[in-house]
Amino acid sequence: MKKTIKFSINGTKVQQEVLPAYLLIDVIRDGLGLRGTKPGCLEGECGACTVLIDGLAVNSCLYLAVNADGKEVTTIEGLISGPDFSLDPVQQAMVDFGAVQCGFCTSGMVMSIKGFYDECVSAQIQPNREQIKKGLEGNLCRCTGYKKIIDAVESLFEEA
Amino acid sequence: MKRDLKIIGKPTRKLDAEARVSGEAVYGHDIVLPNMLHGAILRTKHPTAEILSIDTSKAKALPGVVCVLTADDVDVNNISYKGDHPILKKGEVNCIRDEIAAVAATSREIAAKALALIEVEYKVREGIFDPFAALKKEAPQLNRFASKEQGKNIADSFHYEHGDLQEQKEKSTCVVSQRYTLPRVTHCCMGTSAVTADYSRSTKRLTLYSLSQVPFLFQRDLAKALRMEPSNIRIIQPVIGGGFGSKLDMHPFEPICALLSMQTCRPVQIVFSREEEFIASPTRQPMVIDLTTGADADGKFTFREVKITKDNGAYTSWGATTPFVMMQTFSSLYQIPACRFDSYAVYTNNVFAGSFRGYGNPQATFALERNIDLMAMELGMDKMQIRLLNANFAGEETGQKLHFRSCGHKDALQIVSDKANYKNRQKSNGTGRFRRGIGLASMLHVGGGAKIYPSDGCGTIAKFDDYGYLTIISGASEIGQGSETVLAMIAAEELGVSIEKVRIINSDTDIKPWDVGVHASRTSFIAGNSLLGALSILKIQLSAKAVALLGTDLDDLIFEDDQIRSGRTGKAVKIGKVVRDIHFKQPHELCTASYYYEPDSEYQDGAFKGNVSSAYAFAAQAIEVEVDTYTGNVRVVDVHVAQDVGKILNPLGLAGQIEGGVVMGLGYALTEELIASEGHVRNPNFHNYKLPTASDIPEIHFHPIETSDQEGPYGAKGVSEAPLIPTAAAVANAVSDALGVEIFSLPVTPEKILQALKEKSV
């Protein structure tokens, strides 16, 4: 029994026919062809599939697609903006600080950081290094040892 | 002559970082081909059983299923270097990974449904899950394809020796014997295993979008398995979501995917779930190391005697050859007059081991560096002094004939000792609930390739287009480690082209020249030297024309800012212009160069002696821990790493390799273990297999040492396996320092610590 859902993906309104069991990651990757969102474990442990739903970071592998109805979904592709297709400051910091190696965790890592950063800014919190580490706890990375990712996040708050 | 380097040594952003950070990079999971089918593999329910029957009729009848294969449907060769591993299992299964059938269907869901419809009748057999039980006389032969040359259940064995063991034993006033037990851990690449096979009915060629780290060896192995001409197989590597050695072997799912494509003449893709990844991808070798080491009254090391019993699992992989590396550590890390080494890879019915970053060396170094601490305590010597006394030195030729032309071993030990304030931080907090301790360990690893194959070389083709852009076609693959960036930096350094004008092509065996593959920390060293060879040819070509255009001589030319300039007159010409003049005017040539670099290392003799690498990397780590004596929890406070890297090429990439390696080493030390019981994997998920997270990481202080190796590019050595090799040993030594208890197995869990504390207090 498919259901029609309407939601916004990276600022564009879309309509999808989904079964109740469909996961948001499948709609994003297979339905919409946005393959920047990565399937790392499909059980909510690694964070590689993180997207923003109404600005909050969510594992898209644990989120039923029907629940996205009426919401604003942002994926890694949606962080690119402007006439020059510029990187978001989070993405740029990851590049500048050498925080990307194989890159498979990077999409989800960037989306988690984006959610964390926006939350901190709106709550006017300047997180310390330990709080930043806590904020990244839901995202696994096997290459970098996290240090450069943490450095990149710290830099965002220094500039702000 | 010391050159003034402009690019090399400067922090440089990874060339592919933007594509990876923006979701643009195409990984194996992201490939979609027209008319593509989805493949899936049915694995056994029982680790050991006879297969009485397989009924695929219901699966075949399911709409959307295009192909179902079992061993009866295919005519193929076994895989693995021992030829002991059937791609699809027939008549029996011998470990929980075993592939019984495969399907290709129009969607992933249908493929999964089809697997559930395949009916297999098993007759469960008793298995053997302990290598020592498999070595017993009464044990049955576990792999029916095994050669049995070395014993019924021995997949491979290695013997090495040098020096007069008896004489050295007599000299020893301190002899320490200890058994070490090392666990089964796995790579946990964030991208699970994936492959897409595309067989063309018209050309009879097979294209494989494969994540292999060794595409040319993979091409040969796949051809052998499928009984094809290697040249009719084209390997294309998409962006690879982590390797760490897991992709050194060809695994059954890859030829299975190829077979599904060949049977259907349609592209077929297989992507592992995370659970499948934990169960069916390789592990580091679990092993038991029985080590005896000696020292004389002054603390000079006298001998080492080691016997290693490795759990091979049901089939053999390259992992069975890790003794190549382990014996180097036992024979040559610190000066050692006599060494005897024996290792046995023993068949069991466990999941089989593969290769993993460090290739046996983390295990060997754990045992060796723990034993050194035990000897120091017995001799009443300082743990740093005993290491410095025995450290390796430049110019040393070891008993195994490894030649250390440059050597930063002593410096590495000294630097971590100084920077970590080792002397004053030992047993710094003796009695309370939380106790601190500091541990040391060092390591030796190949740093200039490893000649374990008839050639350890890499080919490069470099070509300028008419506009001054340089394309480097390198045999060497990028698996995330940043080698492409290093290659572009080398080109920019040598020819003055801007990095933005350098393109790297290295992912297609139809195009790129041969390379043995990504392993042994060799890529920047070997591919870097290969590129330098190609660039020197281009430079001669460009220089000849530039001399004429600028009216000057060779010594006066400066390659900079995409130009060639006369130092004397300041007159400059753009590289693009020079290339066009060579192309469209006399001598009417293209600026294209091809070069193959073969390192000057030696293929070892039958006794495993010979200078197997062109350079050797050394490192030491000092790790401070705080142990909670109530819970047994270990918190790593501080890690100091000093490593002989030869020469820093890209400091940004280098630090990333060090930090990533150390954290992988901390996981090995403290939390990671793939728990197998009765042949089943009990924790095939990230919830129960504990990788370090951001919250777990300590401060990591990296102190690079530049020994400027004579053979390495700009003096550089291989770096990327080294940082995880001594970590677990240093952690266990630190726990010993903090608590006065000795842990001889990994991971160092709270349970083990509490148990040891309890035993101590009794």
Side-chain angles (χ1 to χ4, degrees):
Chain A
M1 208 72 61
K2 283 197 175 174
K3 188 178 178 236
T4 303
I5 56 166
K6 291 178 186 174
F7 60 103
S8 147
I9 182 99
N10 301 330
T12 305
K13 288 202 167 78
V14 291
Q15 185 174 316
Q16 290 279 303
E17 304 287 314
V18 300
L19 283 170
Y22 277 17
L23 300 170
L24 182 58
I25 186 172
D26 295 327
V27 172
I28 290 169
R29 282 179 57 85
D30 300 334
L32 300 167
L34 294 169
R35 300 218 147 205
T37 301
K38 296 295 181 229
C41 70
L42 300 185
E43 48 197 19
E45 295 284 351
C46 80
C49 67
T50 305
V51 299
L52 299 183
I53 297 177
D54 291 343
L56 292 179
V58 169
N59 285 322
S60 64
C61 73
L62 292 185
Y63 197 90
L64 291 174
V66 286
N67 290 335
D69 193 35
K71 301 213 163 71
E72 274 184 36
V73 179
T74 310
T75 67
I76 188 75
E77 292 88 350
L79 294 194
I80 312 283
S81 65
D84 299 333
F85 300 98
S86 306
L87 294 181
D88 184 271
V90 175
Q91 292 168 308
Q92 192 61 53
M94 293 284 281
V95 173
D96 294 344
F97 280 80
V100 181
Q101 285 186 31
C102 91
F104 201 88
C105 77
T106 305
S107 297
M109 195 68 82
V110 166
M111 298 315 288
S112 286
I113 296 168
K114 179 77 179 160
F116 175 76
Y117 178 76
D118 288 350
E119 263 182 87
C120 289
V121 169
S122 71
Q124 294 186 308
I125 295 168
Q126 178 85 22
N128 61 29
R129 205 167 165 87
E130 288 310 309
Q131 288 168 319
I132 290 172
K133 287 182 181 180
K134 267 271 174 256
L136 296 176
E137 232 176 18
N139 290 76
L140 296 176
C141 170
R142 191 55 152 169
C143 296
T144 65
Y146 303 102
K147 183 169 186 277
K148 302 221 173 305
I149 299 172
I150 299 162
D151 292 345
V153 181
E154 242 179 356
S155 78
L156 294 168
F157 289 100
E158 279 158 19
E159 284 156 21
Chain B
M1 189 185 70
K2 207 170 155 61
R3 274 175 69 186
D4 186 18
L5 298 171
K6 297 185 189 77
I7 312 286
I8 294 294
K10 308 282 186 300
T12 303
R13 291 187 196 98
K14 208 159 173 285
L15 286 191
D16 50 32
E18 280 216 24
R20 292 174 193 222
V21 84
S22 60
E24 197 181 294
V26 177
Y27 294 80
H29 304 59
D30 305 328
I31 292 169
V32 182
L33 297 178
N35 213 17
M36 186 173 86
L37 298 171
H38 297 269
I41 292 170
L42 180 72
R43 296 177 193 279
T44 178
K45 261 189 196 160
H46 309 284
T48 46
E50 198 178 322
I51 300 176
L52 301 176
S53 67
I54 307 174
D55 182 356
T56 59
S57 55
K58 285 181 190 156
K60 281 179 177 158
L62 184 71
V65 171
V66 182
C67 179
V68 181
L69 291 180
T70 67
D72 287 334
D73 303 309
V74 297
D75 187 18
V76 291
N77 291 326
N78 281 356
I79 61 173
S80 100
Y81 82 95
K82 289 284 178 186
D84 64 358
H85 192 176
I87 296 168
L88 282 161
K89 280 62 179 176
K90 189 181 168 77
E92 62 174 13
V93 287
N94 285 298
C95 84
I96 198 66
R97 262 182 213 162
D98 275 2
E99 299 80 1
I100 296 175
V103 301
T106 50
S107 75
R108 287 196 298 266
E109 292 74 18
I110 296 171
K113 256 186 210 166
L115 290 188
L117 291 173
I118 297 173
E119 289 166 2
V120 185
E121 212 185 331
Y122 301 92
K123 187 179 167 201
V124 174
R125 284 181 188 164
E126 227 172 283
I128 294 184
F129 307 104
D130 171 10
F132 292 101
L135 285 172
K136 285 189 178 150
K137 214 171 151 196
E138 64 272 22
Q141 186 184 336
L142 296 179
N143 184 311
R144 65 187 157 110
F145 304 102
S147 68
K148 292 187 284 184
E149 279 163 22
Q150 306 171 81
K152 190 169 41 181
N153 282 326
I154 294 177
D156 213 342
S157 67
F158 292 82
H159 172 79
Y160 166 83
E161 60 181 57
H162 78 251
D164 187 334
L165 203 65
Q166 203 45 47
E167 184 186 87
Q168 292 301 325
K169 279 185 177 176
E170 282 158 18
K171 275 190 190 171
S172 306
T173 53
C174 162
V175 173
V176 172
S177 290
Q178 187 57 52
R179 169 168 283 195
Y180 296 92
T181 307
L182 287 311
R184 186 178 277 110
V185 296
T186 189
H187 307 72
C188 298
C189 301
M190 293 315 299
T192 56
S193 299
V195 65
T196 307
D198 186 8
Y199 181 73
S200 160
R201 193 197 56 79
S202 52
T203 65
K204 308 279 184 276
R205 291 199 77 201
L206 175 66
T207 301
L208 226 72
Y209 298 84
S210 158
L211 310 183
S212 175
Q213 319 178 199
V214 291
F216 287 99
L217 303 190
F218 185 95
Q219 176 193 45
R220 184 203 59 183
D221 291 349
L222 185 64
K224 194 174 168 202
L226 302 179
R227 299 177 185 165
M228 285 178 74
E229 278 286 334
S231 304
N232 283 331
I233 297 175
R234 178 184 186 188
I235 307 296
I236 296 177
Q237 297 159 287
V239 178
I240 295 172
F244 316 116
S246 64
K247 294 157 173 73
L248 205 68
D249 276 283
M250 182 177 69
H251 304 291
F253 77 96
E254 290 157 322
I256 286 173
C257 192
L259 288 164
L260 289 169
S261 179
M262 292 162 83
Q263 295 274 333
T264 57
C265 282
R266 290 172 70 171
V268 179
Q269 183 171 79
I270 293 179
V271 174
F272 279 15
S273 70
R274 181 56 63 182
E275 184 182 8
E276 194 172 18
E277 183 78 8
F278 270 109
I279 292 170
S281 62
T283 71
R284 194 184 287 290
Q285 281 72 41
M287 61 180 71
V288 170
I289 300 178
D290 289 304
L291 176 64
T292 302
T293 61
D296 66 17
D298 300 327
K300 275 297 270 182
F301 296 159
T302 47
F303 77 94
R304 289 176 188 152
E305 200 169 13
V306 57
K307 186 180 165 192
I308 300 176
T309 310
K310 303 177 10 150
D311 184 347
N312 194 56
Y315 308 102
T316 307
S317 76
W318 286 123
T321 67
T322 48
F324 268 120
V325 175
M326 285 190 280
M327 71 173 71
Q328 283 164 30
T329 289
F330 287 111
S331 77
S332 304
L333 174 60
Y334 301 96
Q335 301 163 52
I336 192 80
C339 173
R340 187 186 168 95
F341 173 100
D342 285 286
S343 87
Y344 306 91
V346 183
Y347 286 114
T348 65
N349 293 115
N350 288 317
V351 290
F352 52 95
S355 71
F356 194 165
R357 191 178 192 178
Y359 215 73
N361 211 348
Q363 296 97 311
T365 301
F366 178 73
L368 182 58
E369 284 285 353
R370 288 253 56 214
N371 244 41
I372 291 173
D373 265 24
L374 299 179
M375 286 200 295
M377 286 189 276
E378 199 174 308
L379 287 164
M381 277 184 80
D382 180 82
K383 291 169 187 169
M384 177 54 78
Q385 286 312 316
I386 197 171
R387 287 177 166 87
L388 286 172
L389 178 70
N390 291 284
N392 297 115
F393 57 90
E396 181 182 355
E397 191 182 62
T398 75
Q400 206 186 346
K401 305 288 175 219
L402 310 183
H403 186 195
F404 301 151
R405 289 186 287 212
S406 61
C407 173
H409 191 204
K410 203 171 263 184
D411 284 349
L413 286 162
Q414 197 65 61
I415 288 169
V416 293
S417 172
D418 294 347
K419 298 284 184 183
N421 193 12
Y422 178 75
K423 228 180 168 120
N424 299 319
R425 279 161 85 176
Q426 288 182 78
K427 293 190 177 41
S428 53
N429 191 351
T431 51
R433 171 176 171 179
F434 295 97
R435 294 185 207 163
R436 287 197 175 196
I438 188 163
L440 289 171
S442 69
M443 75 98 228
L444 152 72
H445 203 68
V446 291
K451 199 159 285 183
I452 48 156
Y453 196 74
S455 168
D456 190 31
C458 172
T460 304
I461 297 165
K463 67 179 189 107
F464 272 110
D465 69 8
D466 290 334
Y467 316 100
Y469 283 64
L470 181 73
T471 300
I472 296 166
I473 308 172
S474 172
S477 309
E478 165 84 35
I479 62 168
Q481 79 279 44
S483 58
E484 282 181 6
T485 308
V486 165
L487 294 184
M489 290 170 73
I490 290 174
E493 184 70 50
E494 294 301 313
L495 298 180
V497 285
S498 33
I499 284 190
E500 299 73 40
K501 293 189 177 176
V502 180
R503 280 80 189 259
I504 316 270
I505 297 196
N506 59 353
S507 57
D508 185 341
T509 54
D510 266 10
I511 296 168
K512 67 177 182 177
W514 193 87
D515 172 66
V516 79
V518 180
H519 73 114
S521 303
R522 69 187 279 285
T523 303
S524 289
F525 189 101
I526 306 284
N529 274 340
S530 176
L531 174 63
L532 282 169
L535 296 177
S536 71
I537 298 169
L538 286 182
K539 197 164 185 173
I540 290 168
Q541 206 179 3
L542 292 173
S543 298
K545 184 57 108 181
V547 161
L549 288 171
L550 297 172
T552 183
D553 47 49
L554 279 176
D555 297 344
D556 180 43
L557 296 178
I558 298 166
F559 286 70
E560 211 171 47
D561 301 330
D562 297 307
Q563 294 179 336
I564 305 171
R565 201 174 71 234
S566 159
R568 272 198 301 276
T569 66
K571 206 173 138 192
V573 57
K574 284 193 172 149
I575 289 178
K577 159 80 175 151
V578 179
V579 174
R580 285 193 296 278
D581 273 20
I582 295 171
H583 182 183
F584 297 110
K585 296 179 185 171
Q586 286 301 332
H588 291 298
E589 285 173 357
L590 292 174
C591 285
T592 303
S594 171
Y595 191 81
Y596 187 69
Y597 171 72
E598 180 68 41
D600 65 353
S601 48
E602 298 164 5
Y603 203 56
Q604 287 176 330
D605 62 20
F608 301 110
K609 287 183 181 161
N611 192 33
V612 72
S613 183
S614 284
Y616 296 88
F618 298 87
Q621 295 184 7
I623 296 183
E624 189 177 18
V625 300
E626 183 180 83
V627 188
D628 181 341
T629 54
Y630 289 10
T631 64
N633 251 327
V634 176
R635 184 171 73 86
V636 180
V637 181
D638 224 4
V639 179
H640 284 271
V641 181
Q643 187 170 322
D644 172 6
V645 301
K647 162 83 191 165
I648 300 168
L649 298 175
N650 180 4
L652 197 60
L654 172 61
Q657 290 302 308
I658 301 296
E659 292 155 11
V662 165
V663 173
M664 197 175 255
L666 292 177
Y668 188 51
L670 292 170
T671 60
E672 291 182 40
E673 181 168 15
L674 196 66
I675 299 164
S677 64
E678 297 298 302
H680 289 273
V681 176
R682 301 297 181 187
N683 56 341
N685 53 64
F686 285 132
H687 191 71
N688 294 309
Y689 184 98
K690 293 290 184 194
L691 285 191
T693 70
S695 300
D696 300 321
I697 73 156
E699 289 306 312
I700 300 167
H701 312 274
F702 174 40
H703 315 288
I705 300 167
E706 296 191 309
T707 50
S708 198
D709 188 79
Q710 68 179 55
E711 182 70 11
Y714 307 95
K717 298 178 176 186
V719 298
S720 294
E721 289 170 283
L724 81 73
I725 290 170
T727 308
V731 168
N733 285 345
V735 168
S736 156
D737 183 51
L739 304 178
V741 302
E742 306 303 331
I743 308 282
F744 300 118
S745 67
L746 291 176
V748 180
T749 58
E751 292 84 346
K752 288 178 192 169
I753 286 178
L754 292 179
Q755 183 65 31
L757 282 171
K758 201 168 137 194
E759 282 165 12
K760 189 190 169 199
S761 67
V762 171

